[in-house]
Each structure stands twice: as structure tokens, then as C-alpha cells.
Amino acid sequence: MTRIAPGDVIGILGGGQLGRMIAVEAARLGLDVHVFNDDPRSPAFHVAARATTADFADTEALAEFAKGCAVVTYEFENVPVAAAEAVAAHAPLRPGAKALATAQDRLAEKSFVADLGIAVAPFRAVDDAASLARALDEIGRPAVLKTRRFGYDGKGQAVIREGDDADAAFAAIGGKPAILEGFVPFAAEVSVVAARAADGTLAAYDLCANRHEGGILAQTTVPAAVSPATEAAARDIAARIGEALDYVGVFAVEMFLVREGGEERLVVNEMAPRVHNSGHWTDVGAQTSQFEQHVRAVCGWPLGPTTRRAPRVTMENLVGAEVEAWRDLLADPAARLTLYGKGEARPGRKMGHVTRLSGAGEG
Ligand code: AMP
């Protein structure tokens, strides 16, 4: 690994709030930040020393950008693999293109995780009405139909229950290549956020419990109310996935917690090769935030402690008009507000988040 030092340039592909929060922490550690994104109104541009607006298909602009960087990372998983490769030809790209390719395609992702011997929902590839009918026969109902690519926050998904018209569900997701998954009767949704260093060291944060509203993460609570064995199993899953991808940086694994006959088990839903919304609580809730940790990992610097700073930490997303409460939140001494510098508070748009630390019994 080439030695990276404060004063060097870190490049970030993508300019959303995740890139913005990485950029702030990188700058705090003395790095020079260069953000590349295709939208001139990118939240990360406001906090970066340099910004390039160009298309992700513009390999010349990507090469130019990468040549000036000591290391390049990314903040969203839909960076085209060709763009990632164009960058990797000129600068170390961490995490690498393999993690991107795996996470971009739900079929590749589910197969990859299942091949590691980790539990996932039963799944089948769906390309047309005939393969959907076959998959439904094999998996049964209820089932969840998801596009293979470009799904997020519950978009590109349809639940097929008893009596539902399968063809209508396929049409609703645009008739695109998809996977059909068995519906997991989960008691809770949990995630593990972890950093992996180039030497294989893993630093995982405590397991988080996540509540979604309308497909969008609403609240994360740490610790998740699970047994120590489940907590250990989640870390082990993260370690195996990180190792198999030869991963460098922060990533998240989202899982379903199933409770049956007094037993708990985990079923992996998906993996995000980046800092993750369910890790935002670490901004003040852990000794090293996920953003700082990501910078440390991709620069080849020592990872920081992941210790939680309070018995209980919660993170609430401010979605759409919820951000209008910003003044009241600032007046609340228990709340730590972060705003993403986005213009219009459109419905469903993540505008900011609030982190709160409390004693185990409060809040
Ligand atoms: P995803 O885009 O895969 O994260 O799915 C969005 C949300 O849909 C998840 O957070 C779950 O609440 C729900 N969901 C997705 N897949 C399944 C499944 N196989 N069984 C039950 N619920 C699911």
C-alpha cells in the first residue's frame, strides 16, 4: 500500500450526504478532498476543497480526477463498474470494484452471500412471466419481487401475497430483470456496520436495530435488543463477507432477525459497500464515527475504537418536511443535529438526522 499522509488528496466518487460527511471527516484529519459527481448541486461539493462535475461515463474526466488523488473511494454503490475501473487504473480505489459489482446486482449479491454458507431468504432469478410463475411455485407466497439493479429505499419492489396478480407485480417493477425472494417473517431489522483494514483487521460497531417507514429508514437504535450470541453471529457474518470481498473501508450488512421457539437467527438481506445510514449514530454515539473510520481504513491508517459512548444511542432521519423542526432540535440539549445542505425538502428526501445519547432506561 502506498503511504498516504495528511495533506494528500482523497477522491470521493459521488456527492450526496454520505460523501459530504466523509469529506468533513477527511478534512478534519488534514486531507485535501476532491469530490467527483455528475450533479452540480451535490451536497458534498459544499464542503470539499475541489469538485468535478462530469458524467460517470466520461472516462477522460475520471482519469484526470484519479491522477490527482492519493486514494479514491465511493459513497454510493451504483458507481458504474467501468467508471470504477477507469479510476483504478490511475489511483488505488478502496473499496475495490469487486464489492461494487457484487452489491449492484441483487442476484449476484444473494448468490455470493449464500455461497459463503450464510443464511439468506430463498431466492430465484426472474426474467419474464414464465420464470416468475415458476419461482412463485417453488418459493410460495407471500414473496417479494425486487429489481436486480438500482433498487433503494424500497423502490423497485412489490410484495406478492395470496390472490395477488403476479404479472401486475412484475409490471409494477417495470418488467425488469428481478429476483423473487421468500418473505421473511422478521421480528426486527438489524444491521452491522464495520470497517475492514487492508491487513484484514475488522472493527465492527454494535449491532443496530432499524425501523423503516414507507421503505425509508426512520430510526436506528443501539444496542439492538438481541442475545450476545446473535450479536456475535452478526459480527462473524460481517467478517466473512468482508474477507471474501477483500474489502477495505466501512460497509454495512442488513439482516432480518427471526425469532422462532425462543431462538434467534439472522437472515442477510443486503450488503452496502459504503458508509451506511444505519451507522449515522456513530457520529457522536461512538468513539470513532463511521465516516472517520472509513477515511482511516481507505488511507491505510490505524482504525479507531468503535466503543459506544452511552448505554443507548438513537438516530432519527429527518425526511422531507421533518427537517423544518431544525430550530427546536437545536434548542434540545440532548439532540445532535446534522443537516445535509440540500435545497428543497421534497417528500421522501433525506434532509438530515438527529443523534441522541441516553441512559439505558431513558429516551
Ligand atoms: P431492501 O430494498 O432489500 O432493503 O428492502 C426494503 C425493505 O423491504 C426491507 O427493509 C424490509 O422491510 C422489506 N423486505 C425486503 N425483502 C424482504 C423479505 N425477503 N422478506 C420480508 N421483508 C422484506
Side-chain angles (χ1 to χ4, degrees), residues 95-158:
K98 184 178 176 190
L100 268 183
T102 307
Q104 278 174 7
D105 179 342
R106 289 188 192 272
L107 182 61
E109 181 180 52
K110 285 258 146 61
S111 310
F112 164 78
V113 175
D115 287 350
L116 292 176
I118 297 169
V120 294
F123 64 96
R124 296 285 185 280
V126 168
D127 294 306
D128 48 31
S131 51
L132 175 56
R134 221 167 27 243
L136 271 173
D137 272 351
E138 290 169 9
I139 285 178
R141 299 176 184 229
V144 189
L145 185 64
K146 304 179 180 179
T147 55
R148 280 174 64 170
R149 291 179 173 273
F150 301 117
Y152 71 101
D153 287 347
K155 293 190 174 62
Q157 290 196 24

Side-chain angles (χ1 to χ4, degrees), residues 106 109-110 121-122 142-146 151-157 159 180-186 189 210 212 215-216 254 256 267-270:
R106 289 188 192 272
E109 181 180 52
K110 285 258 146 61
V144 189
L145 185 64
K146 304 179 180 179
Y152 71 101
D153 287 347
K155 293 190 174 62
Q157 290 196 24
V159 177
L180 186 78
E181 291 178 16
F183 189 90
V184 179
F186 59 81
E189 294 189 73
N210 302 314
H212 296 84
I216 301 174
E254 294 184 78
F256 300 121
V267 177
V268 168
N269 181 29
E270 60 185 0

Side-chain angles (χ1 to χ4, degrees), residues 261-294:
E263 299 278 310
E264 288 179 353
R265 66 185 170 88
L266 294 168
V267 177
V268 168
N269 181 29
E270 60 185 0
M271 181 264 172
R274 53 171 170 77
V275 292
H276 193 255
N277 197 167
S278 68
H280 289 3
W281 66 272
T282 63
D283 58 3
V284 284
Q287 221 166 318
T288 311
S289 80
Q290 64 165 344
F291 309 105
E292 173 177 343
Q293 194 78 305
H294 185 69

